[in-house]
Structure formats: structure tokens, C-alpha cells
Amino acid sequence: MTEYSIDHIPCEHVIQSVWDYLDDEIDAERKERIRRHLELCDHCRDHYTFEGAFLRSVSRLLDETG
């Protein structure tokens, strides 16, 4: 894994914050810093894309069964 520290946010912290980012449960400043990191870091962007697709799939399944 390539380790970026963009706006002083290392990949590890971005990965740990993906769910909060997807759920819009972080403050605007941190959200913007994570967004900029995701623009530059393929590894974290891939993780974010996967987690987002997973979340949408689970939500769709819950809607179908509920």
C-alpha cells in the first residue's frame, strides 16, 4: 500500500474514517481533507468505492425485504 499523508491525514486514518465519511458524520473540515486525500490516493479511493458499494447493496437489500 502506498502511504500518503495528505493534509496530515495518513491512509490508515482515512480508511478508519470511511464509514463516518460515507454517513456524513464528520465535520466539514475533516470531510474536505479526506476528500482531497481520496482524490490523490488510489488505495484509499478503492477502499472508499468498495465500502460505498457495499453500503448501497445492504441498503437496497433491506429495502427489498422490509
Side-chain angles (χ1 to χ4, degrees):
M1 165 175 75
T2 303
E3 183 67 31
Y4 284 102
S5 183
I6 300 161
D7 283 342
H8 305 289
I9 300 179
C11 292
E12 179 181 347
H13 294 156
V14 172
I15 297 300
Q16 291 172 351
S17 300
V18 165
W19 286 101
D20 293 336
Y21 182 84
L22 286 166
D23 290 340
D24 201 24
E25 294 180 350
I26 55 175
D27 63 77
E29 178 186 346
R30 185 164 175 84
K31 185 174 185 173
E32 178 61 19
R33 292 170 61 202
I34 290 172
R35 186 193 63 75
R36 284 195 304 260
H37 182 106
L38 292 171
E39 286 179 352
L40 298 173
C41 181
D42 292 339
H43 172 75
C44 290
R45 186 174 46 252
D46 288 347
H47 185 79
Y48 162 78
T49 301
F50 174 83
E51 296 294 342
F54 175 80
L55 188 62
R56 286 186 299 277
S57 294
V58 168
S59 179
R60 195 170 31 252
L61 287 171
L62 291 173
D63 289 343
E64 290 173 5
T65 60

